[in-house]
Amino acid sequence: MEWETVIGLEVHAQLATQSKIFSGAATAYGASPNTQACAVDLGLPGVLPVLNAEAVRMAVKFGLAIGATIAPRSVFARKNYFYPDLPKGYQISQYELPVVAKGSIEIELEDGRVKTIGITRAHLEEDAGKSLHEDFHGKSGIDLNRAGTPLLEIVSEPDMRSAKEAVAYMKKIHSLVRYLEICDGNMQEGSFRCDANVSVRPKGREKFGTRAELKNINSFRFVEKAINFEVERQIELLESGGSVVQETRLYDADKGETRPMRSKEEANDYRYFPDPDLLPLEIEGAFIAQVKTTLPELPDQKKQRFVTDYALTPYEAGVLTASRELAGFYEAVVEAAQGEAKLAANWVTGDLLGALNKAGLDILASPVSPQALGGLLLRIKDNTISGKIAKQVFDAMWHGEGDADTVIQAKGLRQVTDSGAIEKVVDEVIARSPQQLEQYRAGKEALFGYFVGQVMKASEGKANPAQVNALLKEKLK
Amino acid sequence: MHTKTIAELSHALHKREISSVELTRTFIERIKRHNGALNAYVTVTEEQALAQARAADARLKKGEGGPLTGIPLAQKDIFCTQGVKTTCGSKMLDNFIAPYDATTVERFNHAGAVMLGKTNMDEFAMGSSNETSFYGPVKNPWDLSAVPGGSSGGSAAAVAARLAPAATSTDTGGSIRQPAALCGITGIKPTYGRVSRYGMIAFASSLDQGGPMARTAEDCALLLQAMAGFDARDSTSADRPVPSYSAALNDSIKGLKIGLPKEYFGAGLDKKMAQLIEAAIKEYEKLGATVQEISLPNTHLAVPVYYVIAPAECSSNLSRFDGVRFGYRCKAPKDLEDLYKRSRGEGFGAEVKRRIMVGTYVLSAGYYDAYYLKAQKLRRLISDDFKQAFSEVDVIMGPTAPTAAFNLGEKTDDPVTMYLSDIYTIAVNLAGLPAMSIPAGFIGQRPAGLQIIGNYFDEARLLNVAHQYQKVTDWHSRVPVGFE
Amino acid sequence: MSLQPSDVEKIAHLARLAVSEQDTPAYVRNLSNIIDLVGQMNAVDTTHVTPMAHPLDMAARLRPDAVTEINQRERFQAIAPEVDAGVYLVPKVIE
């Protein structure tokens, strides 16, 4: 039987506020345990929550960016369950009336087609603390620094049909929240994480299969792996006559498998009800209009502009706009290279990203600045060096040997454009290759490359390739 | 000294006829002498009180301070007091030294008041007789075999027995008004949102409201002035100006329109209680008020609605007591579930556990609509009854409780019977309105209370109406035998 | 409507309350009485009534995003049942 995979994602994005969603404690990552857990975060008797205005603003910003409806009135509810990292015994979240509803984003599929993924809702809630399992003599340690950090939970429709689509969606949301500057997107620190609802059904059937919820997925790679593992597990189960149980499963990155979560084994009854400590959140049109004026150019808009203004292919534009920082870097290179947009795109997506990847560096940590790269491109453009020599220059710049001009000067890499000098080399090469000359003239035109190579070698790569070509064509006739 | 009102004591303090230290010593002595019989205080903070009194005297000496500077008072043990045990009447918090002050406590400290100690109460404010306290029942000073009412029974008994000139209290379903009535003192539950709930250990968040208890309405006006007002730490705190409560006390009440809900005078009301309330109303007519019968047709639903909403909120509010970060932890838990279940099972008393279970039940899957949502809808109807009534009258009057104080142990076996003793007070909390109870006579030796209900944020009028009655009656200045 | 002992056990588990077998009958009886009492609500038709979650007809007030709290770990952990190296200790949590 042919199976179809159905995936919906719940992305949790930590909002980049200074203070927590309901208290004035700091949200900074990495503090010593429980030093950023104030009375409200600890759920001490008698304390009360007060909502952070910035968290609301950020949620509205996200809603506007995905073309969603901003609820004029939304309600905070309590989700009741006992867990040591949940100090009050309930999580304050939004249940029936979320702040953001019904939006969508577009993802690009591998074959280049664009697919719209619906976003059911996005709601504000507080994060829980952390349970630490090691080093406490068989006990667990509870650190509540993270408790109360604002989260935007972004819930998609079950619109994705493969792990690859899920990854593309997650990447798109990741890019969007960073463009909007509402989340730092740091997946290692848990600022951006996701749960995946995965089910399979026989191809062509309308009804969804029973789904499993995969928790604890904190990298793009793991999303793909976890989903693929789970899909296979479910298909195997169904094909061997079994049935999928609706349950919460934990993705174990070390073993590359999913397994049922013991803490979630019993059916939960969260007893949601409106939080009586908080009044309904009302958002006026004027506030929404004001937030709208603060929206930056979004990835899709930027991509379109890159295609139009810089004559890039949609693929190149897509790569360059994947993050706001990369797009900004690229535009700075174009400016420094006096408008050499295509050349800049080639270099940024090629040599630069390659080198960054290899070194495991972020674009903002690039050892070669946009201005320096632009300077290098100018030297290509004005024929000071060839594209090939430029790679050598770039490598030196990467290793801190100075800007393009310094490197070219120091290594004597300036391109030879003196046609007399080049002609001399060409003549020498022809003179010492009588055999090849004969064959070439007899019709083996592929040998042209041999002559070019010899000339370039003899000139240590510095001869202007266009001139070399022209001269050789002439002399080999 | 101990029989004087705050207004009188404040005058004497400012004139330096007495010192706050003397005054504080007087009450500390009285507490030492009488608390054994009454069990009104669970903690007495003698040293801290004397230090506060000395500081108050220093301010007074310089001609500084306000009406409460140097005035001793008691805090209900539901308000967090930094560095002082805050138990909420529960074994769960028997070891809980609050690491911060409630807003109300902070405000009284700022006003220069002196805290004598923390008063006994029903566990987590759940009770109408003060018999659910982990620290044992409080006795009614008028009759030691009677309950003082609840949940603010310790505060009410302390004020009635002159072990404090005033005390703080909280009211979720009548916990200020009913004990005030049963102990023959004056208490006001303000409009929901008027007094900050920050640092007041929550029972039912949409119903809880703090307020003062004292002997007179005049004193309550001084105390409420200090307690009321916006607090940025409480999202449900009302951000609107606080009028001067003392300024309006002497306004004439000629032409005041009093509504008497016929539902508050039906079956279940003690005959003698009815007579006392009627006599009090007659007194108001003599003062120039007009009286008309009104109807609050959904009154009979208040108790059922309350016993859905209050337990639902309490079941969630009390989840934080889990033995992990503070409070009671069971011995040698074998796993996490055992830690939770035994810490909570052993730390909470029977009534608290009952209410947590009722609340858990009405919110659980499959029952939410039938119970919780239904109760919220009926809450609207009950609230609308009052809206309708206040379009016709200025205040509503009736009995605070159907009977005078009942005997200790009389209703402890049957929670439902106990719940029904709050029949006249509960609807006010559901609507969020302000209401008072003032002394209106005695049934035998046990006091009776008149309830006065006002429109939203109309506390100044309530205090004025109560004060005018107290100017022509002396029920409020009677002292129980043995505590003169 | 009467509750069964199994209902009480289920509720007690959801609420994480240890209830002994010996105490269960009393809870069954008392809780059933309370549920009967609140059952009086059913006599009223509320089809067109808007639920009232809160006595105040107000909207949420928002606070500015500013860090106003300082580290008070020592003070807060002085009242904790069991702590080690700044963390609260509980029996092993199994995920």
Side-chain angles (χ1 to χ4, degrees):
Chain A
M1 193 185 306
E2 207 181 333
W3 298 90
E4 182 177 49
T5 305
V6 176
I7 304 160
L9 291 188
E10 291 169 18
V11 170
H12 292 82
Q14 268 185 14
L15 296 176
T17 55
Q18 297 299 306
S19 65
K20 294 193 176 168
I21 184 166
F22 297 118
S23 84
T27 53
Y29 180 81
S32 181
N34 292 308
T35 54
Q36 286 178 175
C38 73
V40 173
D41 308 325
L42 293 174
L44 290 185
V47 298
L48 296 169
V50 185
L51 182 58
N52 185 336
E54 192 56 24
V56 174
R57 170 180 287 274
M58 288 175 168
V60 170
K61 215 170 169 184
F62 179 79
L64 291 173
I66 59 161
T69 311
I70 308 298
R73 186 173 177 278
S74 62
V75 169
F76 285 94
R78 292 184 182 178
K79 180 182 183 179
N80 294 284
Y81 64 97
F82 286 88
Y83 208 65
D85 65 12
L86 188 72
K88 299 185 295 298
Y90 58 84
Q91 178 195 30
I92 305 176
S93 180
Q94 296 191 303
Y95 184 53
E96 282 182 331
L97 294 169
V99 61
V100 170
K102 288 201 176 70
S104 65
I105 60 164
E106 289 183 343
I107 59 168
E108 203 169 305
L109 306 182
E110 282 187 311
D111 61 7
R113 277 186 308 126
V114 166
K115 180 172 177 177
T116 302
I117 306 293
I119 293 177
T120 319
R121 58 186 281 162
H123 65 254
L124 286 165
E125 62 182 27
E126 56 180 345
D127 209 343
K130 276 183 189 161
S131 304
L132 312 166
H133 304 305
E134 282 120 35
D135 304 331
F136 298 106
H137 316 288
K139 294 182 180 180
S140 290
I142 309 297
D143 174 9
L144 297 171
N145 278 348
R146 200 179 65 180
T149 300
L151 291 180
L152 189 66
E153 179 172 332
I154 303 157
V155 184
S156 84
E157 293 286 324
D159 285 350
M160 287 151 278
R161 294 291 172 269
S162 71
K164 285 224 164 12
E165 285 184 25
V167 173
Y169 167 83
M170 194 176 167
K171 281 190 169 157
K172 193 63 181 279
I173 295 285
H174 186 256
S175 157
L176 192 58
V177 295
R178 297 187 65 208
Y179 262 79
L180 295 169
E181 294 182 311
I182 62 173
C183 172
D184 69 15
N186 191 325
M187 295 171 84
Q188 246 147 21
E189 292 177 3
S191 307
F192 189 90
R193 34 191 218 267
C194 110
D195 300 340
N197 287 307
V198 179
S199 64
V200 296
R201 62 181 171 189
K203 195 142 197 152
R205 189 191 287 180
E206 185 114 2
K207 199 168 163 272
F208 290 132
T210 307
R211 65 168 200 264
E213 188 183 0
L214 311 184
K215 290 252 181 218
N216 194 32
I217 316 181
N218 59 5
S219 86
F220 296 125
R221 203 158 49 95
F222 291 165
V223 172
E224 191 167 347
K225 285 190 166 179
I227 292 173
N228 282 335
F229 176 89
E230 180 60 20
V231 166
E232 237 165 81
R233 187 189 71 88
Q234 291 187 10
I235 291 174
E236 253 173 52
L237 201 59
L238 292 169
E239 286 185 342
S240 63
S243 57
V244 176
V245 184
Q246 184 163 342
E247 64 184 352
T248 306
R249 298 176 70 86
L250 194 69
Y251 177 65
D252 186 330
D254 295 333
K255 293 186 185 150
E257 60 176 34
T258 67
R259 60 177 158 84
M261 272 180 93
R262 283 185 59 186
S263 55
K264 305 269 179 181
E265 263 171 14
E266 59 180 273
N268 270 308
D269 185 345
Y270 291 124
R271 291 158 282 136
Y272 282 99
F273 74 108
D275 190 332
D277 286 332
L278 291 162
L279 297 162
L281 171 62
E282 288 181 5
I283 296 175
E284 289 172 3
F287 177 76
I288 297 173
Q290 195 277 326
V291 174
K292 214 171 211 162
T293 64
T294 68
L295 283 185
E297 184 184 32
L298 298 174
D300 289 350
Q301 297 166 335
K302 205 181 272 279
K303 181 179 168 187
Q304 194 48 53
R305 180 167 64 80
F306 279 19
V307 169
T308 316
D309 290 7
Y310 300 136
L312 304 183
T313 64
Y315 175 78
E316 286 171 322
V319 171
L320 289 170
T321 54
S323 88
R324 195 175 176 172
E325 292 78 10
L326 180 60
F329 191 100
Y330 167 71
E331 292 202 278
V333 174
V334 173
E335 202 193 326
Q338 294 169 8
E340 286 298 314
K342 193 76 185 177
L343 187 61
N346 289 342
W347 272 84
V348 172
T349 59
D351 294 80
L352 180 73
L353 283 186
L356 287 170
N357 256 343
K358 209 170 141 194
L361 290 176
D362 185 80
I363 183 72
L364 294 178
S366 169
V368 177
S369 73
Q371 288 68 33
L373 184 55
L376 173 64
L377 303 191
L378 281 179
R379 296 290 84 88
I380 299 174
K381 189 188 160 199
D382 68 11
N383 283 330
T384 307
I385 52 171
S386 66
K388 201 162 175 196
I389 289 288
K391 288 182 195 294
Q392 200 183 324
V393 178
F394 176 82
D395 197 49
M397 289 165 72
W398 180 271
H399 290 101
E401 292 174 31
D403 65 12
D405 289 337
T406 312
V407 173
I408 293 166
Q409 187 67 35
K411 298 194 181 243
L413 296 173
R414 184 170 286 272
Q415 181 163 262
V416 177
T417 50
D418 175 346
S419 43
I422 297 176
E423 195 172 355
K424 204 175 146 223
V425 179
V426 168
D427 288 344
E428 280 168 19
V429 168
I430 292 174
R432 65 171 136 92
S433 313
Q435 230 177 321
Q436 285 83 354
L437 183 65
E438 198 177 318
Q439 288 175 1
Y440 178 82
R441 286 192 172 148
K444 200 170 175 189
E445 289 188 8
L447 277 171
F448 189 75
Y450 161 80
F451 286 103
V452 173
Q454 289 299 308
V455 173
M456 294 309 285
K457 198 175 165 191
S459 72
E460 293 177 304
K462 286 181 282 188
N464 179 296
Q467 283 174 289
V468 171
N469 275 356
L471 271 171
L472 276 171
K473 280 225 167 91
E474 167 111 21
K475 303 227 168 203
L476 291 174
K477 256 184 212 162
Chain B
M1 234 188 303
H2 62 273
T3 55
K4 288 192 166 31
T5 65
I6 293 176
E8 291 161 353
L9 292 171
S10 183
H11 189 71
L13 282 168
H14 279 272
K15 290 187 81 178
R16 308 303 296 147
E17 292 166 8
I18 52 166
S19 74
S20 177
V21 169
E22 278 175 81
L23 190 58
T24 301
R25 285 223 167 91
T26 303
F27 281 103
I28 297 280
E29 287 314 311
R30 286 186 62 77
I31 294 167
K32 284 180 179 165
R33 181 146 28 106
H34 295 294
N35 197 49
L38 294 176
N39 199 25
Y41 283 83
V42 290
T43 302
V44 180
T45 48
E46 181 173 354
E47 272 175 44
Q48 184 186 320
L50 289 170
Q52 284 182 321
R54 281 190 289 273
D57 282 332
R59 279 172 80 180
L60 290 162
K61 212 181 225 165
K62 286 191 265 178
E64 293 169 8
L68 297 179
T69 307
I71 300 291
L73 45 88
Q75 290 284 359
K76 182 175 180 179
D77 211 16
I78 198 169
F79 290 97
C80 284
T81 42
Q82 190 174 320
V84 175
K85 202 160 94 159
T86 301
T87 69
C88 228
S90 182
K91 179 181 178 184
M92 183 59 87
L93 291 179
D94 185 47
N95 61 359
F96 181 66
I97 311 288
Y100 75 105
D101 274 331
T103 298
T104 287
V105 172
E106 213 175 75
R107 289 188 179 201
F108 277 122
N109 287 344
H110 185 73
V114 173
M115 183 175 88
L116 294 167
K118 310 286 298 279
T119 56
N120 202 344
M121 56 183 284
D122 278 301
E123 185 180 9
F124 285 100
M126 297 175 202
S128 310
S129 67
N130 220 302
E131 292 167 296
T132 71
S133 170
F134 174 64
Y135 302 97
V138 176
K139 313 282 170 58
N140 191 318
W142 295 95
D143 181 340
L144 297 177
S145 63
V147 301
S151 67
S152 312
S155 288
V159 173
R162 275 57 171 171
L163 304 189
T168 58
S169 47
T170 60
D171 192 316
T172 305
S175 283
I176 293 177
R177 291 158 290 157
Q178 186 254 18
L182 269 50
C183 287
I185 60 165
T186 303
I188 179 166
K189 172 208 128 37
T191 307
Y192 182 88
R194 181 76 292 181
V195 170
S196 169
R197 293 188 296 115
Y198 191 81
M200 196 176 104
I201 299 175
F203 159 15
S205 309
S206 79
L207 301 163
D208 295 344
Q209 182 63 201
M213 281 178 164
R215 302 233 315 281
T216 65
E218 189 184 15
D219 284 359
C220 282
L222 292 171
L223 295 157
L224 184 58
Q225 202 75 51
M227 294 173 85
F230 176 66
D231 180 6
R233 291 177 294 189
D234 176 359
S235 295
T236 61
S237 168
D239 190 2
R240 52 188 288 160
V242 180
S244 166
Y245 294 125
S246 299
L249 287 175
N250 287 306
D251 289 358
S252 161
I253 57 165
K254 199 162 244 164
L256 178 82
K257 283 187 271 181
I258 300 173
L260 303 178
K262 62 179 184 202
E263 293 80 6
Y264 284 27
F265 293 89
L269 178 62
D270 181 289
K271 272 213 180 69
K272 285 192 183 121
M273 182 66 79
Q275 285 164 9
L276 288 173
I277 300 304
E278 277 156 26
I281 303 294
K282 283 256 151 50
E283 211 57 62
Y284 273 107
E285 284 181 306
K286 279 196 237 163
L287 289 167
T290 62
V291 174
Q292 69 184 84
E293 188 186 86
I294 57 162
S295 177
L296 300 170
N298 292 295
T299 296
H300 64 288
L301 293 169
V303 171
V305 168
Y306 178 88
Y307 279 96
V308 171
I309 291 175
E313 293 183 8
C314 112
S315 71
S316 175
N317 281 336
L318 269 60
S319 292
R320 68 189 60 198
F321 302 100
D322 59 4
V324 175
R325 298 165 316 287
F326 49 79
Y328 179 78
R329 174 183 279 202
C330 67
K331 294 257 179 316
K334 67 178 199 297
D335 57 23
L336 187 61
E337 188 171 310
D338 190 45
L339 167 74
Y340 285 148
K341 288 189 171 175
R342 280 202 295 122
S343 296
R344 292 166 59 77
E346 294 163 15
F348 291 135
E351 178 63 15
V352 169
K353 282 189 270 196
R354 272 198 288 274
R355 295 206 196 184
I356 290 174
M357 285 200 261
V358 170
T360 302
Y361 178 74
V362 298
L363 288 175
S364 63
Y367 298 105
Y368 182 86
D369 285 2
Y371 291 107
Y372 188 74
L373 201 61
K374 182 87 184 177
Q376 281 201 330
K377 289 179 168 189
L378 292 170
R379 184 176 188 177
R380 169 88 53 199
L381 296 183
I382 290 165
S383 177
D384 286 348
D385 282 358
F386 283 107
K387 280 208 178 84
Q388 171 60 33
F390 282 115
S391 70
E392 295 169 31
V393 299
D394 299 319
V395 295
I396 294 168
M397 289 190 187
T400 304
T403 64
F406 43 92
N407 292 330
L408 284 158
E410 189 179 321
K411 299 186 181 183
T412 41
D413 289 343
D414 183 1
V416 169
T417 313
M418 185 75 91
Y419 296 171
L420 291 171
S421 65
D422 295 332
I423 189 159
Y424 304 134
T425 49
I426 272 177
V428 163
N429 298 78
L430 291 169
L433 293 164
M436 292 189 76
S437 180
I438 58 173
F442 290 86
I443 297 171
Q445 56 182 343
R446 300 183 184 182
L450 170 72
Q451 182 173 218
I452 315 170
I453 304 167
N455 210 340
Y456 294 100
F457 297 101
D458 213 4
E459 288 83 1
R461 191 203 297 264
L462 285 186
L463 291 161
N464 165 228
V465 168
H467 181 65
Q468 291 305 307
Y469 178 81
Q470 292 183 335
K471 273 169 58 175
V472 297
T473 56
D474 72 346
W475 305 118
H476 59 283
S477 31
R478 307 274 178 97
V479 186
V481 177
F483 298 95
E484 295 90 349
Chain C
M1 195 199 115
S2 243
L3 297 184
Q4 300 302 312
S6 60
D7 295 322
V8 169
E9 280 159 27
K10 195 185 129 213
I11 301 165
H13 173 67
L14 263 181
R16 298 298 185 271
L17 290 169
V19 171
S20 68
E21 242 173 80
Q22 181 192 329
D23 289 343
T24 303
Y27 279 110
V28 170
R29 191 176 64 245
N30 284 322
L31 297 187
S32 292
N33 288 344
I34 297 167
I35 295 302
D36 285 345
L37 169 76
V38 305
Q40 291 172 19
M41 297 192 304
N42 295 328
V44 187
D45 176 20
T46 50
T47 320
H48 301 292
V49 183
T50 314
M52 177 172 162
H54 217 270
L56 292 183
D57 191 19
M58 298 195 317
R61 189 168 33 77
L62 308 181
R63 47 168 260 277
D65 179 27
V67 176
T68 54
E69 297 291 332
I70 51 160
N71 172 20
Q72 297 192 76
R73 186 173 77 184
E74 300 309 313
R75 175 187 286 199
F76 294 145
Q77 296 198 339
I79 52 171
E82 197 180 2
V83 290
D84 181 19
V87 301
Y88 295 94
L89 291 187
V90 295
K92 192 103 189 145
V93 176
I94 299 153
E95 280 180 317

